[in-house]
Amino acid sequence: MKIVVDGETKIMKAIWYEDDNVKLIDQRKLPDKFEIFTAETSDDIAYAIKNMVVRGAPAIGITAAYGLAMAKKKNEDMDAASEKILNTRPTAYDLFRAVSYMKNNGYEMNAARRYAIEITGRSKKIGEIGNELIKDGGNILTHCNAGALAVIDWGTALAPMRIAHDAGKNIFVYVDETRPRLQGAKLTAWELGQEGIDHAIIADNAAGYYMKKKSIDLVIVGADRIASNGDFANKIGTYEKAVLAKVNGIPFYVAAPGSTFDFSIDTGDKIPIEERDENEVLEINGSRIGPAGSHGKNPAFDVTPHEYVTGFITEYGMFRPEELGKLKTLMEKDLFMNVK
Ligand code: MRU
């Protein structure tokens, strides 16, 4: 991804391996500070995932892959390291796929590198396929951050926007702020700004207003886990946007690599939903917004039923929910995806 640091434009990845450690752009500090977090042990990797130094389903998977390879190189107890990393966050399926991939490849560094290269390449492919949906002058709404920070590069939902922009299309992006952790306002707006893509941050509650005004042509979001029938989990608030899009006749797309599809479950009610600390809701940037004594409730994700999805943008092509059987067959033939 393109990043302007101290006035200098750099092409960077969100996660990389260097000097026997895993390096992560610290997403907790953006957009105000650009800092690199160094993970030296599997404890550091588990901390980074749990505390959202790195977040976004594919990025969590890639961090786990590099983290396990690093732990192996440093002669850690690999069962303990895997267990620790698996117990960080329950919803993003990429985490579980990456850990089983690494286990089946002896936790080798080459396997981690391969995992990262594969997922990144597939995100670019999602961008190329999704670009077909975006017309010149198109207005797109997105929720949370499914950008390069949430993969390593390109992103999932943001990849078609990057490709469309690079192809010279004049696009405008409505960016949901995405309470409570503001991944939209802090990370998506930052990425789009770095790329020079026109956008505006909106209150989460304003999406319906712009949809009804016909200001939005399509919605593209990411996903954390997708069930066999097409029900999918994504950042809390996605379900509302899907319902509003349907009511207003606006196409609603989900961009995700094969690593996010969990064909071991048939419907979305089987997807575990992470509950996070109430203070993420009760505070903004560390200042309390609620009166003392009031508690908060903080489900991190919700599940959108498949009937609200126009299509899934994947590296294998576009699929309507009822066509996911075809995707499953393609993934079964795909050596990289088929390492159980
Ligand atoms: O809690 P987060 O920030 O990890 O949630 C991230 C999302 O919901 C993303 O939309 C999803 O993981 C897709 S990232 C390509």
Side-chain angles (χ1 to χ4, degrees), residues 115-185:
Y115 189 88
I117 290 165
E118 280 281 350
I119 299 295
T120 311
R122 289 159 191 259
S123 302
K124 185 170 184 211
K125 193 85 183 117
I126 287 169
E128 290 156 359
I129 292 165
N131 172 40
E132 307 296 317
L133 299 168
I134 299 175
K135 66 177 192 299
D136 188 16
N139 297 290
I140 307 141
L141 179 126
T142 195
H143 189 71
C144 194
N145 171 259
L149 291 167
V151 183
I152 263 189
D153 205 342
W154 297 103
T156 57
L158 291 197
M161 302 174 207
R162 278 193 159 92
I163 301 267
H165 176 73
D166 292 350
K169 291 180 185 172
N170 172 23
I171 62 172
F172 186 86
V173 186
Y174 289 81
V175 179
D176 282 349
E177 61 181 343
T178 317
R179 280 270 301 162
R181 291 185 69 107
L182 301 172
Q183 288 93 327

Coordinates of all heavy atoms in Angstrom, one line a residue, residues 115-185:
Y115 N 1.9 -18.5 2.6 CA 0.6 -18.1 3.1 C 0.3 -16.6 2.8 O -0.7 -16.2 2.2 CB 0.4 -18.5 4.5 CG -1.1 -18.3 5.0 CD1 -2.0 -19.4 4.9 CD2 -1.5 -17.1 5.5 CE1 -3.3 -19.2 5.2 CE2 -2.8 -16.9 5.8 CZ -3.7 -18.0 5.7 OH -5.1 -17.8 6.1
A116 N 1.3 -15.8 3.2 CA 1.2 -14.4 3.0 C 1.1 -14.0 1.6 O 0.2 -13.2 1.2 CB 2.3 -13.7 3.7
I117 N 1.9 -14.5 0.8 CA 2.0 -14.2 -0.7 C 0.6 -14.6 -1.3 O 0.0 -13.9 -2.1 CB 3.1 -14.9 -1.4 CG1 4.5 -14.2 -0.9 CG2 3.0 -14.8 -2.9 CD1 5.7 -15.1 -1.3
E118 N 0.2 -15.8 -1.0 CA -1.1 -16.3 -1.6 C -2.3 -15.4 -1.2 O -3.0 -15.0 -2.1 CB -1.4 -17.7 -1.0 CG -0.6 -18.8 -1.7 CD -1.2 -19.2 -3.1 OE1 -2.4 -18.8 -3.4 OE2 -0.6 -20.0 -3.8
I119 N -2.4 -15.1 0.1 CA -3.6 -14.3 0.5 C -3.5 -12.9 -0.1 O -4.5 -12.3 -0.6 CB -3.7 -14.2 2.0 CG1 -3.8 -15.6 2.6 CG2 -4.8 -13.2 2.5 CD1 -5.1 -16.3 2.3
T120 N -2.3 -12.3 -0.2 CA -2.1 -11.0 -0.8 C -2.5 -11.0 -2.3 O -3.2 -10.1 -2.8 CB -0.7 -10.5 -0.7 OG1 -0.3 -10.7 0.7 CG2 -0.5 -9.0 -1.0
G121 N -2.0 -12.0 -3.0 CA -2.3 -12.2 -4.4 C -3.8 -12.3 -4.7 O -4.4 -11.7 -5.6
R122 N -4.4 -13.0 -3.8 CA -5.9 -13.3 -3.9 C -6.7 -12.0 -3.7 O -7.7 -11.7 -4.3 CB -6.3 -14.4 -3.0 CG -5.8 -15.8 -3.4 CD -5.8 -16.8 -2.4 NE -5.1 -18.0 -2.8 CZ -5.7 -19.1 -3.3 NH1 -7.0 -19.2 -3.3 NH2 -5.0 -20.1 -3.7
S123 N -6.1 -11.1 -2.8 CA -6.8 -9.9 -2.5 C -6.8 -9.0 -3.7 O -7.7 -8.3 -4.1 CB -6.1 -9.2 -1.3 OG -6.2 -10.0 -0.2
K124 N -5.6 -9.0 -4.4 CA -5.5 -8.2 -5.7 C -6.5 -8.7 -6.7 O -7.2 -7.9 -7.4 CB -4.1 -8.2 -6.2 CG -3.9 -7.3 -7.4 CD -2.5 -7.2 -7.9 CE -2.4 -6.1 -9.0 NZ -1.4 -6.4 -9.9
K125 N -6.6 -10.0 -6.8 CA -7.6 -10.6 -7.7 C -9.0 -10.2 -7.4 O -9.8 -9.9 -8.3 CB -7.5 -12.1 -7.6 CG -8.1 -12.9 -8.7 CD -7.2 -13.1 -9.9 CE -8.0 -13.8 -11.0 NZ -8.2 -12.9 -12.2
I126 N -9.3 -10.1 -6.1 CA -10.6 -9.7 -5.7 C -10.8 -8.2 -6.1 O -11.9 -7.8 -6.6 CB -10.8 -9.7 -4.1 CG1 -10.9 -11.2 -3.7 CG2 -11.9 -8.9 -3.6 CD1 -10.8 -11.4 -2.2
G127 N -9.8 -7.4 -6.1 CA -9.8 -6.1 -6.6 C -10.2 -6.0 -8.0 O -11.0 -5.2 -8.5
E128 N -9.5 -6.8 -8.8 CA -9.7 -6.8 -10.3 C -11.1 -7.2 -10.6 O -11.8 -6.6 -11.5 CB -8.7 -7.7 -10.9 CG -7.2 -7.1 -10.9 CD -6.1 -8.2 -11.0 OE1 -6.4 -9.4 -11.1 OE2 -5.0 -7.8 -10.9
I129 N -11.6 -8.2 -9.9 CA -13.0 -8.7 -10.2 C -14.0 -7.7 -9.7 O -15.0 -7.4 -10.4 CB -13.2 -10.1 -9.6 CG1 -12.3 -11.2 -10.2 CG2 -14.7 -10.5 -9.6 CD1 -12.1 -12.5 -9.5
G130 N -13.8 -7.1 -8.5 CA -14.7 -6.2 -8.0 C -14.7 -4.9 -8.8 O -15.8 -4.2 -8.8
N131 N -13.6 -4.5 -9.4 CA -13.5 -3.3 -10.2 C -14.6 -3.2 -11.3 O -15.1 -2.2 -11.6 CB -12.1 -3.2 -10.8 CG -12.0 -2.0 -11.8 OD1 -12.6 -0.9 -11.5 ND2 -11.4 -2.3 -12.9
E132 N -15.0 -4.4 -11.8 CA -16.0 -4.5 -12.8 C -17.4 -3.9 -12.3 O -18.2 -3.5 -13.1 CB -16.2 -6.0 -13.2 CG -15.0 -6.7 -13.6 CD -14.3 -6.1 -14.9 OE1 -15.1 -5.8 -15.8 OE2 -13.1 -5.9 -14.9
L133 N -17.6 -3.9 -11.0 CA -18.8 -3.5 -10.5 C -18.9 -2.0 -10.3 O -20.0 -1.4 -10.1 CB -19.0 -4.1 -9.1 CG -19.1 -5.6 -8.9 CD1 -19.0 -6.0 -7.5 CD2 -20.4 -6.1 -9.5
I134 N -17.7 -1.3 -10.4 CA -17.6 0.1 -10.1 C -17.6 0.9 -11.4 O -16.7 0.7 -12.2 CB -16.4 0.4 -9.2 CG1 -16.4 -0.4 -7.9 CG2 -16.2 1.9 -9.0 CD1 -15.2 -0.3 -7.0
K135 N -18.5 1.8 -11.6 CA -18.5 2.6 -12.8 C -17.8 3.9 -12.5 O -17.6 4.3 -11.3 CB -20.0 2.9 -13.2 CG -20.8 3.8 -12.3 CD -22.2 4.0 -12.9 CE -23.0 5.1 -12.2 NZ -23.3 4.9 -10.8
D136 N -17.4 4.6 -13.6 CA -16.7 5.9 -13.4 C -17.8 6.8 -12.8 O -18.9 6.8 -13.2 CB -16.3 6.4 -14.8 CG -15.5 7.7 -14.7 OD1 -15.0 8.0 -13.5 OD2 -15.3 8.4 -15.7
G137 N -17.4 7.5 -11.8 CA -18.4 8.4 -11.1 C -19.1 7.7 -10.0 O -20.1 8.2 -9.4
G138 N -18.8 6.4 -9.7 CA -19.5 5.6 -8.8 C -19.3 6.1 -7.3 O -18.3 6.6 -7.0
N139 N -20.4 5.9 -6.5 CA -20.4 6.3 -5.1 C -20.6 5.0 -4.3 O -21.6 4.3 -4.5 CB -21.6 7.2 -4.8 CG -21.4 8.5 -5.6 OD1 -20.5 9.3 -5.2 ND2 -22.2 8.7 -6.6
I140 N -19.6 4.7 -3.5 CA -19.6 3.4 -2.7 C -19.6 3.6 -1.2 O -19.0 4.6 -0.8 CB -18.3 2.6 -3.1 CG1 -18.1 2.5 -4.6 CG2 -18.3 1.3 -2.4 CD1 -16.7 2.7 -5.1
L141 N -20.4 2.8 -0.5 CA -20.3 2.9 0.9 C -19.6 1.6 1.4 O -19.8 0.5 0.9 CB -21.7 2.9 1.6 CG -21.7 2.9 3.1 CD1 -22.5 4.1 3.6 CD2 -22.3 1.6 3.7
T142 N -18.8 1.8 2.5 CA -18.1 0.7 3.1 C -18.1 0.8 4.6 O -18.4 2.0 5.1 CB -16.7 0.5 2.6 OG1 -16.2 -0.8 3.0 CG2 -15.7 1.5 3.1
H143 N -18.0 -0.3 5.3 CA -18.1 -0.3 6.8 C -16.9 -1.0 7.4 O -16.4 -1.9 6.8 CB -19.4 -1.1 7.2 CG -19.8 -1.1 8.6 ND1 -20.3 0.1 9.2 CD2 -19.7 -2.0 9.6 CE1 -20.6 -0.2 10.5 NE2 -20.2 -1.4 10.7
C144 N -16.4 -0.4 8.5 CA -15.2 -0.9 9.1 C -14.0 -0.7 8.2 O -14.0 0.2 7.3 CB -15.3 -2.4 9.5 SG -14.0 -3.0 10.6
N145 N -12.9 -1.4 8.4 CA -11.7 -1.4 7.5 C -11.4 -2.7 7.0 O -11.1 -3.7 7.7 CB -10.5 -0.9 8.3 CG -9.2 -1.0 7.4 OD1 -8.4 -1.9 7.6 ND2 -9.1 -0.1 6.4
A146 N -11.7 -2.9 5.7 CA -11.3 -4.1 5.0 C -10.3 -3.7 3.9 O -10.5 -4.0 2.7 CB -12.6 -4.8 4.4
G147 N -9.3 -3.0 4.4 CA -8.3 -2.5 3.4 C -7.0 -3.3 3.5 O -6.9 -4.3 4.1
A148 N -5.9 -2.6 3.0 CA -4.6 -3.3 3.0 C -4.1 -3.6 4.5 O -3.5 -4.6 4.7 CB -3.6 -2.3 2.4
L149 N -4.5 -2.7 5.4 CA -4.2 -2.9 6.8 C -4.8 -4.2 7.3 O -4.3 -4.9 8.2 CB -4.6 -1.8 7.7 CG -3.9 -0.4 7.5 CD1 -4.7 0.7 8.1 CD2 -2.5 -0.5 8.1
A150 N -5.9 -4.6 6.7 CA -6.7 -5.8 7.2 C -6.2 -7.1 6.4 O -6.8 -8.2 6.7 CB -8.1 -5.6 7.0
V151 N -5.3 -7.0 5.6 CA -4.7 -8.1 4.8 C -3.2 -8.0 5.0 O -2.7 -8.4 6.0 CB -5.1 -8.1 3.3 CG1 -4.6 -9.4 2.6 CG2 -6.6 -8.0 3.2
I152 N -2.5 -7.5 4.1 CA -1.1 -7.1 4.1 C -1.0 -5.9 3.1 O -0.4 -4.9 3.3 CB -0.1 -8.2 3.6 CG1 0.5 -8.9 4.8 CG2 1.0 -7.7 2.8 CD1 1.6 -9.9 4.4
D153 N -1.8 -6.2 2.0 CA -1.8 -5.1 0.9 C -3.2 -5.3 0.2 O -3.9 -6.2 0.4 CB -0.7 -5.4 -0.1 CG -0.3 -4.1 -0.8 OD1 -1.1 -3.1 -0.8 OD2 0.8 -4.0 -1.4
W154 N -3.5 -4.3 -0.6 CA -4.7 -4.3 -1.5 C -6.0 -4.2 -0.6 O -6.8 -3.3 -0.8 CB -4.8 -5.5 -2.4 CG -3.7 -5.4 -3.4 CD1 -2.6 -6.2 -3.4 CD2 -3.5 -4.6 -4.5 NE1 -1.7 -5.9 -4.4 CE2 -2.3 -4.9 -5.1 CE3 -4.3 -3.6 -5.1 CZ2 -1.9 -4.2 -6.3 CZ3 -3.9 -2.9 -6.2 CH2 -2.7 -3.2 -6.8
G155 N -6.2 -5.1 0.3 CA -7.4 -5.2 1.1 C -8.4 -6.2 0.4 O -8.0 -6.9 -0.5
T156 N -9.7 -6.2 0.9 CA -10.7 -7.0 0.3 C -11.7 -6.0 -0.3 O -11.7 -5.7 -1.4 CB -11.3 -8.0 1.3 OG1 -11.8 -7.3 2.4 CG2 -10.3 -9.1 1.7
A157 N -12.5 -5.4 0.6 CA -13.6 -4.4 0.1 C -12.9 -3.2 -0.5 O -13.4 -2.7 -1.5 CB -14.4 -4.0 1.3
L158 N -11.7 -2.8 0.0 CA -11.1 -1.6 -0.6 C -10.3 -1.9 -1.8 O -9.9 -1.0 -2.6 CB -10.1 -1.0 0.5 CG -10.7 -0.3 1.7 CD1 -9.7 0.6 2.4 CD2 -12.0 0.4 1.4
A159 N -10.0 -3.2 -2.1 CA -9.2 -3.6 -3.3 C -9.9 -3.1 -4.6 O -9.2 -2.5 -5.4 CB -8.9 -5.1 -3.3
P160 N -11.2 -3.4 -4.8 CA -11.8 -2.9 -6.0 C -11.8 -1.3 -6.1 O -11.6 -0.8 -7.2 CB -13.3 -3.3 -5.9 CG -13.2 -4.5 -4.9 CD -12.1 -4.2 -4.0
M161 N -11.8 -0.7 -5.0 CA -11.8 0.8 -5.0 C -10.4 1.3 -5.4 O -10.2 2.2 -6.2 CB -12.1 1.4 -3.7 CG -13.5 1.0 -3.2 SD -13.9 1.5 -1.5 CE -15.1 0.2 -1.0
R162 N -9.3 0.6 -4.9 CA -7.9 0.9 -5.3 C -7.7 0.7 -6.8 O -7.2 1.5 -7.5 CB -6.9 0.0 -4.6 CG -6.6 0.5 -3.2 CD -5.4 -0.3 -2.6 NE -4.8 0.5 -1.5 CZ -5.2 0.3 -0.2 NH1 -6.1 -0.5 0.1 NH2 -4.6 1.1 0.7
I163 N -8.2 -0.5 -7.3 CA -8.0 -0.8 -8.7 C -8.8 0.1 -9.6 O -8.3 0.6 -10.6 CB -8.5 -2.3 -9.0 CG1 -7.7 -3.3 -8.1 CG2 -8.4 -2.6 -10.5 CD1 -6.4 -3.9 -8.7
A164 N -10.0 0.5 -9.2 CA -10.9 1.4 -10.0 C -10.2 2.8 -10.1 O -10.1 3.4 -11.1 CB -12.2 1.6 -9.3
H165 N -9.6 3.2 -8.9 CA -9.0 4.5 -8.9 C -7.7 4.5 -9.7 O -7.5 5.4 -10.5 CB -8.6 4.8 -7.4 CG -7.8 6.1 -7.2 ND1 -8.3 7.3 -7.3 CD2 -6.5 6.3 -6.9 CE1 -7.4 8.3 -7.1 NE2 -6.2 7.6 -6.9
D166 N -6.9 3.4 -9.6 CA -5.7 3.3 -10.4 C -6.0 3.2 -11.9 O -5.2 3.6 -12.7 CB -4.9 2.0 -10.0 CG -4.3 2.2 -8.6 OD1 -4.4 3.3 -8.0 OD2 -3.9 1.1 -8.0
A167 N -7.3 2.7 -12.2 CA -7.7 2.6 -13.6 C -8.2 4.0 -14.1 O -8.7 4.1 -15.3 CB -8.7 1.6 -13.8
G168 N -8.2 5.0 -13.2 CA -8.6 6.3 -13.7 C -10.1 6.6 -13.4 O -10.6 7.7 -13.8
K169 N -10.8 5.7 -12.8 CA -12.2 6.0 -12.5 C -12.3 7.0 -11.4 O -11.6 7.0 -10.4 CB -12.9 4.7 -12.1 CG -13.1 3.7 -13.3 CD -13.8 2.4 -12.8 CE -13.9 1.4 -13.9 NZ -14.4 0.1 -13.4
N170 N -13.2 7.9 -11.6 CA -13.5 8.9 -10.6 C -14.5 8.4 -9.6 O -15.7 8.3 -10.0 CB -14.0 10.2 -11.3 CG -14.4 11.3 -10.3 OD1 -14.0 11.3 -9.2 ND2 -15.4 12.1 -10.8
I171 N -14.1 8.0 -8.4 CA -15.0 7.4 -7.4 C -15.1 8.2 -6.1 O -14.2 9.0 -5.8 CB -14.6 5.9 -7.1 CG1 -13.3 5.8 -6.4 CG2 -14.7 5.1 -8.4 CD1 -12.9 4.5 -5.9
F172 N -16.2 8.0 -5.4 CA -16.3 8.6 -4.1 C -16.8 7.6 -3.1 O -17.6 6.8 -3.4 CB -17.4 9.8 -4.1 CG -17.4 10.6 -2.8 CD1 -16.6 11.6 -2.6 CD2 -18.3 10.2 -1.8 CE1 -16.6 12.4 -1.4 CE2 -18.4 10.9 -0.6 CZ -17.5 12.0 -0.5
V173 N -16.1 7.6 -1.9 CA -16.4 6.5 -0.9 C -17.0 7.2 0.4 O -16.4 8.1 0.9 CB -15.1 5.7 -0.5 CG1 -15.5 4.6 0.4 CG2 -14.4 5.2 -1.8
Y174 N -18.2 6.6 0.8 CA -18.8 7.0 2.0 C -18.2 6.0 3.1 O -18.4 4.8 2.9 CB -20.3 6.9 2.0 CG -20.9 8.0 1.1 CD1 -21.0 7.9 -0.2 CD2 -21.5 9.1 1.7 CE1 -21.6 8.9 -1.0 CE2 -22.1 10.1 1.0 CZ -22.1 10.0 -0.4 OH -22.7 11.0 -1.1
V175 N -17.5 6.5 4.1 CA -16.8 5.7 5.0 C -17.6 5.7 6.4 O -17.6 6.7 7.1 CB -15.4 6.1 5.2 CG1 -14.7 5.3 6.3 CG2 -14.6 6.2 3.9
D176 N -18.3 4.6 6.7 CA -18.9 4.6 8.1 C -17.8 4.7 9.1 O -16.8 4.0 9.1 CB -19.5 3.2 8.3 CG -20.9 3.0 7.6 OD1 -21.4 4.1 7.1 OD2 -21.4 1.9 7.5
E177 N -18.0 5.6 10.1 CA -17.0 5.8 11.2 C -16.7 4.4 11.9 O -15.6 4.1 12.2 CB -17.5 6.8 12.2 CG -18.8 6.3 12.9 CD -19.4 7.4 13.9 OE1 -18.6 8.2 14.3 OE2 -20.5 7.2 14.2
T178 N -17.7 3.6 12.1 CA -17.6 2.3 12.6 C -17.3 2.2 14.1 O -16.2 1.8 14.5 CB -16.7 1.4 11.8 OG1 -16.9 1.6 10.5 CG2 -16.8 -0.1 12.2
R179 N -18.3 2.8 14.9 CA -18.1 2.6 16.3 C -18.1 1.1 16.7 O -18.7 0.4 15.9 CB -19.3 3.4 17.0 CG -19.1 4.9 17.1 CD -18.4 5.3 18.4 NE -19.1 4.8 19.6 CZ -18.6 4.7 20.8 NH1 -17.3 5.0 21.0 NH2 -19.3 4.3 21.8
P180 N -17.6 0.7 17.9 CA -17.0 1.6 18.8 C -15.5 1.9 18.6 O -15.0 2.9 19.1 CB -17.1 0.8 20.2 CG -17.1 -0.6 19.7 CD -17.8 -0.6 18.4
R181 N -14.7 1.1 17.8 CA -13.3 1.3 17.7 C -13.0 2.2 16.5 O -11.8 2.5 16.3 CB -12.5 0.0 17.6 CG -12.6 -0.8 19.0 CD -11.7 -2.0 18.9 NE -10.3 -1.6 18.8 CZ -9.4 -1.8 19.7 NH1 -9.8 -2.3 20.9 NH2 -8.1 -1.5 19.6
L182 N -13.9 2.6 15.7 CA -13.7 3.6 14.7 C -12.7 3.2 13.6 O -12.0 4.0 13.0 CB -13.3 5.0 15.3 CG -14.3 5.6 16.3 CD1 -13.7 6.8 17.0 CD2 -15.6 6.0 15.6
Q183 N -12.8 1.9 13.2 CA -11.9 1.4 12.1 C -12.1 2.1 10.8 O -11.2 2.3 10.0 CB -12.1 -0.1 11.9 CG -11.6 -1.0 13.0 CD -12.6 -1.3 14.0 OE1 -13.5 -0.5 14.3 NE2 -12.5 -2.5 14.6
G184 N -13.4 2.6 10.6 CA -13.7 3.3 9.4 C -13.0 4.7 9.4 O -12.3 5.1 8.5
A185 N -13.4 5.5 10.4 CA -12.9 6.8 10.5 C -11.3 6.9 10.7 O -10.7 7.8 10.1 CB -13.5 7.5 11.8

